[in-house]
């Protein structure tokens, strides 16, 4: 039986959670403040993890990619940018391939590492994404959150209902769907979820829910099927921008959706941002460390488990 594995993954982008917008100023703050905090935590606990960079932030500040290399972390792709129109569920096959190829080359040029892992921005994908990934030399996707249920809470919620039927253990995908098993060359390493996403956002907003999730996820991993724990966090959760005034952007026309998606969501999503997120994250890490989990990059996990 494979040892208990914990894959900590980080999405690095210019999203300001406080201002609900993409900003270069936030990207620089992520580089100067958020990334050093995360890298210190990993160094302290002797952990190797995977960083998914958008091409946009890599171009804005290439050192943000370089800074992870000496500690042995994996450089991975988070697509070209988090702009809504660059979502992989709305782009044509050709455009998806262009974005993937461009970002892969950029990250490889900066880092000198081969980039084979991908996670789509906001986990938005469509039936073409698997083929686009394969044709551009990617080998591992991690955009599927098996059994996660978002509904109104994230963009493209209805399409994400496919998550409910996706396999839980890592698998080779079928050519036409990342959500189903097949004999294609692409590996899917699903994000952990227990109804709600098992991510930094849940950890910050509802620590008591994460407390329950963590026990369920550990039970599955250690007693039921050996599924690796896959946690998703963002260095922008460790920065504090609350000195900047904000108004809530209205993204939804429907008043109920506006209340749910924009107002409540913005209020909630900013809880425990900045330094307050550090002890919460370390508590998460210690839980697995104390139970003998091995921490590794996504790529290393795939090699060790024989998937790659
Ligand atoms: Zn992202």
């Amino acid at each position: 039986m494979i040892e208990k594995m914990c894959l900590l993954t980080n999405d690095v982008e210019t999203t300001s959670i406080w201002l609900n917008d993409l900003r270069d100023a936030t990207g620089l703050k992520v580089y100067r403040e958020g990334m050093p905090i995360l890298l210190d935590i990993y160094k302290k606990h002797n952990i190797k993890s995977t960083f998914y960079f958008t091409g946009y932030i890599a171009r804005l500040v290439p050192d943000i990619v370089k800074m992870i290399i000496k500690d042995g972390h994996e450089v991975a792709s988070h697509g070209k940018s988090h702009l809504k129109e660059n979502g992989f569920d709305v782009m044509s096959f050709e455009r998806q391939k262009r974005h993937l190829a461009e970002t892969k080359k950029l990250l490889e040029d900066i880092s000198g590492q081969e980039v084979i892992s991908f996670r789509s921005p906001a986990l938005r994908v469509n039936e073409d994404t698997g083929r686009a990934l394969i044709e551009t030399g990617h080998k591992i996707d991690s955009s599927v959150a098996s059994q996660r249920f978002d509904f109104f809470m994230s963009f493209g919620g209805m399409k994400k209902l496919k998550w409910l039927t996706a396999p839980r253990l890592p698998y080779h995908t079928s050519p036409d769907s990342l959500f189903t098993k097949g004999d294609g060359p692409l590996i899917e390493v699903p994000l952990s979820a227990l109804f709600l996403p098992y991510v930094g956002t849940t950890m910050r907003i509802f620590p008591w829910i994460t407390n329950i999730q963590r026990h369920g996820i550990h039970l599955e991993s250690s007693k039921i099927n050996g599924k690796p724990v896959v946690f998703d966090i963002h260095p922008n959760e460790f920065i504090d921008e609350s000195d900047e005034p904000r108004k809530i952007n209205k993204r939804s026309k429907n008043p109920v959706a506006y209340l749910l998606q924009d107002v409540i969501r913005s209020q909630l999503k900013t809880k425990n941002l900045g330094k307050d997120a550090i002890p919460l994250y370390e508590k998460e890490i210690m839980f697995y460390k104390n139970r003998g989990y091995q921490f590794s990059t996504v790529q290393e996990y795939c090699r060790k488990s024989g998937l790659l």
Side-chain angles (χ1 to χ4, degrees):
M1 195 181 126
I2 187 168
E3 51 198 337
K4 288 176 289 197
M5 297 296 291
C6 183
L7 315 180
L8 301 178
T9 66
N10 316 269
D11 299 349
V12 190
E13 55 198 56
T14 59
T15 308
S16 166
I17 300 171
W18 178 249
L19 298 163
N20 197 19
D21 208 354
L22 298 166
R23 299 195 320 157
D24 289 0
T26 300
L28 292 172
K29 207 160 176 163
V30 164
Y31 166 59
R32 292 193 192 110
E33 296 170 30
M35 287 294 283
I37 289 174
L38 266 182
L39 289 174
D40 280 354
I41 294 175
Y42 294 146
K43 189 169 268 175
K44 179 174 161 190
H45 296 286
N46 195 20
I47 287 170
K48 307 233 180 311
S49 73
T50 303
F51 286 81
Y52 297 87
F53 297 95
T54 60
Y56 188 88
I57 199 165
R59 196 162 273 140
L60 178 73
V61 45
D63 278 346
I64 202 167
V65 180
K66 287 185 192 148
M67 73 196 293
I68 75 161
I69 294 169
K70 66 173 183 339
D71 294 339
H73 300 294
E74 178 184 2
V75 177
S77 163
H78 196 33
K80 188 171 175 179
S81 85
H82 248 279
L83 287 174
K84 253 188 198 174
E85 60 267 33
N86 289 344
F88 280 75
D89 57 341
V90 293
M91 289 196 290
S92 70
F93 178 54
E94 287 305 321
R95 197 155 156 235
Q96 291 190 38
K97 280 207 301 187
R98 224 166 34 240
H99 280 209
L100 287 168
E102 246 177 55
T103 306
K104 180 170 154 68
K105 179 165 188 319
L106 174 71
L107 294 171
E108 288 177 345
D109 286 348
I110 295 172
S111 70
Q113 278 186 18
E114 194 192 4
V115 171
I116 59 169
S117 298
F118 172 76
R119 171 174 296 143
S120 65
L123 308 183
R124 293 163 61 191
V125 296
N126 69 14
E127 49 292 325
D128 294 329
T129 308
R131 272 188 305 132
L133 283 165
I134 293 164
E135 289 188 22
T136 50
H138 295 80
K139 294 175 183 160
I140 309 165
D141 177 67
S142 191
S143 309
V144 172
S146 307
Q147 282 80 60
R148 163 170 161 178
F149 185 59
D150 279 29
F151 210 53
F152 280 122
M153 292 300 277
S154 83
F155 194 76
M158 291 309 279
K159 273 186 196 154
K160 292 173 177 172
L161 287 176
K162 283 187 187 150
W163 284 343
L164 290 173
T165 55
R168 291 184 74 80
L169 286 174
Y171 53 99
H172 281 270
T173 63
S174 81
D176 298 323
S177 169
L178 294 173
F179 302 95
T180 48
K181 267 186 209 177
D183 52 9
L186 189 70
I187 301 158
E188 178 62 43
V189 178
L191 287 145
S192 292
L194 208 58
F195 305 110
L196 285 173
Y198 185 52
V199 295
T201 315
T202 313
M203 177 194 83
R204 287 185 299 103
I205 304 174
F206 306 117
W208 62 273
I209 291 183
T210 294
N211 200 32
I212 298 167
Q213 287 181 311
R214 174 194 314 136
H215 284 92
I217 284 164
H218 166 57
L219 180 74
E220 178 181 25
S221 186
S222 59
K223 296 275 177 355
I224 301 174
N225 59 17
K227 176 179 169 23
V229 177
V230 183
F231 192 77
D232 182 21
I233 198 149
H234 298 67
N236 60 1
E237 298 183 72
F238 295 92
I239 63 171
D240 185 356
E241 297 179 298
S242 60
D243 54 330
E244 300 195 44
R246 64 168 180 168
K247 65 169 184 28
I248 290 154
N249 279 333
K250 191 165 179 168
R251 296 187 309 173
S252 324
K253 290 193 181 74
N254 174 322
V256 178
Y258 170 66
L259 185 70
L260 282 171
Q261 287 187 323
D262 297 334
V263 179
I264 295 177
R265 190 167 170 273
S266 321
Q267 301 295 338
L268 283 175
K269 282 194 96 170
T270 54
K271 211 180 136 189
N272 284 322
L273 280 178
K275 297 263 187 291
D276 292 344
I278 298 174
L280 292 172
Y281 192 35
E282 287 207 85
K283 186 178 172 191
E284 223 48 48
I285 289 172
M286 285 314 295
F287 178 86
Y288 296 104
K289 219 176 157 180
N290 290 337
R291 284 160 183 77
Y293 279 71
Q294 299 291 311
F295 295 84
S296 93
T297 66
V298 171
Q299 182 175 156
E300 193 190 328
Y301 167 80
C302 290
R303 288 191 202 285
K304 267 193 179 171
S305 61
L307 283 160
L308 186 66

